[in-house]
Amino acid sequence: MKITDIIKISGEINRRDFLIWGIALFAIKYNLDRFLAMLAGRKWFFSEYWMQFDNTSGPYTDGDLKFYGFLIFLSLPFIWFGTLLTLKRLRNAALPGWLVICFFLPFINLLFFTILVTLPARSVLENKVVKKHPFLPASKFGSALASVIITSVVGVGFIVLLLEVMGDYGWSIFVGIPFILGFCAVIIFGQSRTIEMREALSVALSAVVTCSIFLFLIAFEGVICLAMAFPIGVLLSAMGAVLGYYLIRKRTVPTLQICLTPLLVILLLSYTEHHNPKVLPVFKVLTEIEIEAPKQEVWNQLLAFSTIEEPVDWLFKTGIAYPTHSEISGTGIGAIRECHFTTGPFVEPITHWEEPDYLAFSVRDQPPPMIEWSFGDAIEAAHLDGYFRSQKGSFELTSLPDGGTLLKGTTWYTNDIWPVGYWKLWTDFILHKIHMRVLNHIKTQAELEAN
């Protein structure tokens, strides 16, 4: 296909030309971005396209804004050509044009591209007759059950493989696997029959639930992590199910080929993620409270607060670590503060001491962020060791006009679990709960002493 044909909105493109043009345009764009990054003294790796999209830490420097702004500007013609190519390929495969939105979804667009390259043209598919699959049960329920079990077992295998070999809790695990679970479950389920959208979504949801249960039963992941990952898993599996539904509707597609190819791509993308020299974004969580006591009294309480009562908050009943008490050795910069959690102490060397206005500390050592549990003993999931790291913290005290004190507690942390934009919602929520447990205790003790 000539470039003059590509720029036309109408028309179709076969999968061979779609593959050739897609690879060529991406190669040009990727190497152009690498060259510009080199001129700017930066590194640019393949996975930056979804990692940087996910990096919402900010604030960005003027240099960052100029660099990324220029990259976005240069990407506009590639976005235009990519959109046209995708629309033409969708027409060629008799798929609805609105599926082009998958082209704009980071990471998923790579799987979508693979599926479109694998899918035969409409003329080939329309000549096929829907017939009973030799290896699937004849009944609808049996076929649905088989598709759920097959995809769940494969999903568990891929998750275990990626985590044991790569050790990365990344986009491949939390975006790629759920999407493919929903997609493949629907493709397998619809091989021998015409299915409805609600049936496709039900099978996809069942695949995610079953995969989660299998991970729990083999004690590879605990309830807390699975519960946190469940919302994003359900959403992405539903997206995969919708794509699978339109591919399988009233016709057959090459099951093994169209399911296996994106799974192999996930392995490649996981390898790419693992070897990406990424810099973890640093997030900041600030919580404040007003206390009816003077600054000095509040200061005295926060240095080493007494034992806090057992929590009533449901969050801390799940195994999430929570603070119990703190103690301090020495005074001034260099003093060592230990904040004890249910999983062990945070060792916090003091870096700023401005009594009674400001206290700041780094974090030298920290315990696991939670106790994951399964049947029997607690499990030692990989994400409990070093993936979440508290970097530093501070307390800031400000006098209020009524004689009280505004106390602000801040934590800076990194989280090597992606997409960080999604997991940030959980970590920020949990840290706010931890902050409030400490701040409320300091408030109670300071007000008792003041009165």
Side-chain angles (χ1 to χ4, degrees):
M1 175 177 280
K2 298 178 181 179
I3 193 169
T4 53
D5 296 324
I6 294 180
I7 61 176
K8 297 178 182 178
I9 297 178
S10 59
E12 298 180 1
I13 185 172
N14 60 46
R15 55 180 174 177
R16 186 200 65 179
D17 291 342
F18 180 71
L19 174 63
I20 293 173
W21 277 102
I23 291 177
L25 289 171
F26 178 79
I28 295 171
K29 178 66 169 63
Y30 176 51
N31 284 287
L32 179 61
D33 291 344
R34 287 180 62 199
F35 177 71
L36 293 173
M38 181 184 67
L39 293 179
R42 300 168 181 263
K43 292 183 178 180
W44 192 260
F45 204 62
F46 176 75
S47 57
E48 297 289 342
Y49 290 111
W50 62 86
M51 303 291 272
Q52 288 299 329
F53 172 87
D54 189 39
N55 187 349
T56 56
S57 60
Y60 295 106
T61 64
D62 290 340
D64 292 332
L65 295 175
K66 290 179 181 178
F67 175 70
Y68 291 118
F70 194 52
L71 288 188
I72 292 173
F73 175 76
L74 288 179
S75 69
L76 294 178
F78 293 92
I79 292 174
W80 172 251
F81 281 120
T83 302
L84 291 180
L85 284 171
T86 304
L87 284 171
K88 292 174 186 292
R89 182 69 187 104
L90 289 170
R91 292 192 196 105
N92 182 256
L95 293 172
W98 63 264
L99 286 175
V100 73
I101 62 175
C102 293
F103 171 75
F104 298 94
L105 302 177
F107 197 91
I108 288 178
N109 52 13
L110 301 174
L111 301 177
F112 183 57
F113 175 81
T114 303
I115 292 169
L116 289 183
V117 168
T118 307
L119 188 67
R122 171 185 55 218
S123 57
V124 175
L125 292 171
E126 287 179 343
N127 293 327
K128 291 190 175 182
V129 178
V130 177
K131 58 183 179 180
K132 180 182 179 299
H133 196 282
F135 301 108
L136 292 176
S139 68
K140 179 174 288 190
F141 175 79
S143 182
L145 182 62
S147 68
V148 168
I149 292 177
I150 292 171
T151 53
S152 299
V153 170
V154 172
V156 169
F158 266 74
I159 290 172
V160 172
L161 174 66
L162 294 181
L163 290 181
E164 289 295 319
V165 176
M166 303 296 181
D168 295 318
Y169 286 84
W171 282 70
S172 299
I173 294 290
F174 292 112
V175 176
I177 296 298
F179 182 84
I180 293 301
L181 274 177
F183 175 78
C184 292
V186 172
I187 293 294
I188 296 172
F189 176 47
Q191 279 297 298
S192 303
R193 58 184 42 82
T194 299
I195 62 175
E196 302 295 332
M197 177 65 82
R198 59 180 177 80
E199 294 173 329
L201 293 174
S202 297
V203 167
L205 175 61
S206 299
V208 172
V209 172
T210 305
C211 183
S212 300
I213 292 174
F214 285 168
L215 288 170
F216 176 74
L217 291 178
I218 66 175
F220 192 78
E221 282 293 352
V223 172
I224 303 172
C225 181
L226 292 173
M228 290 179 177
F230 191 71
I232 190 173
V234 169
L235 174 62
L236 290 164
S237 67
M239 294 173 61
V242 170
L243 179 60
Y245 168 77
Y246 281 105
L247 262 62
I248 203 71
R249 187 174 56 170
K250 298 181 181 179
R251 59 186 180 177
T252 58
V253 294
T255 311
L256 182 61
Q257 184 181 0
I258 207 165
C259 291
L260 184 59
T261 306
L263 283 172
L264 294 177
V265 170
I266 285 180
L267 289 178
L268 175 62
L269 295 177
S270 178
Y271 178 84
T272 302
E273 282 188 287
H274 180 70
H275 290 278
N276 177 22
K278 57 182 177 289
V279 177
L280 299 182
V282 178
F283 297 111
K284 173 184 174 181
V285 175
L286 184 150
T287 309
E288 59 184 48
I289 192 172
E290 292 187 7
I291 302 175
E292 296 179 3
K295 280 197 301 185
Q296 187 62 56
E297 188 56 53
V298 176
W299 174 273
N300 295 338
Q301 295 298 326
L302 67 84
L303 285 179
F305 54 84
S306 59
T307 301
I308 310 177
E309 295 181 354
E310 286 296 310
V312 295
D313 197 307
W314 65 269
L315 179 69
F316 299 128
K317 303 293 185 180
T318 64
I320 297 290
Y322 58 86
T324 58
H325 65 284
S326 72
E327 53 193 32
I328 191 168
S329 300
T331 59
I333 296 175
I336 302 297
R337 184 174 183 267
E338 288 192 2
C339 187
H340 290 263
F341 277 62
T342 49
T343 54
F346 279 77
V347 180
E348 303 166 342
I350 303 301
T351 56
H352 289 83
W353 181 295
E354 301 175 17
E355 184 175 354
D357 300 308
Y358 187 72
L359 182 74
F361 49 87
S362 60
V363 178
R364 190 174 68 194
D365 296 299
Q366 70 176 60
M370 65 181 73
I371 300 174
E372 277 281 23
W373 60 273
S374 183
F375 290 119
D377 297 331
I379 64 175
E380 298 295 332
H383 61 80
L384 299 181
D385 184 17
Y387 286 84
F388 170 85
R389 297 294 302 178
S390 179
Q391 301 295 316
K392 59 181 180 178
S394 70
F395 291 102
E396 182 179 355
L397 298 82
T398 305
S399 295
L400 297 174
D402 61 0
T405 303
L406 176 65
L407 175 60
K408 297 180 181 180
T410 306
T411 296
W412 287 264
Y413 72 93
T414 59
N415 191 17
D416 194 10
I417 303 180
W418 304 74
V420 292
Y422 173 77
W423 290 102
K424 182 178 183 295
L425 299 175
W426 284 106
T427 49
D428 283 6
F429 171 73
I430 292 169
L431 283 173
H432 275 300
K433 289 287 188 179
I434 291 173
H435 284 180
M436 286 308 303
R437 175 171 167 80
V438 172
L439 297 186
N440 277 324
H441 180 72
I442 292 173
K443 172 183 171 69
T444 300
Q445 298 301 310
E447 289 178 349
L448 284 174
E449 291 296 327
N451 296 325

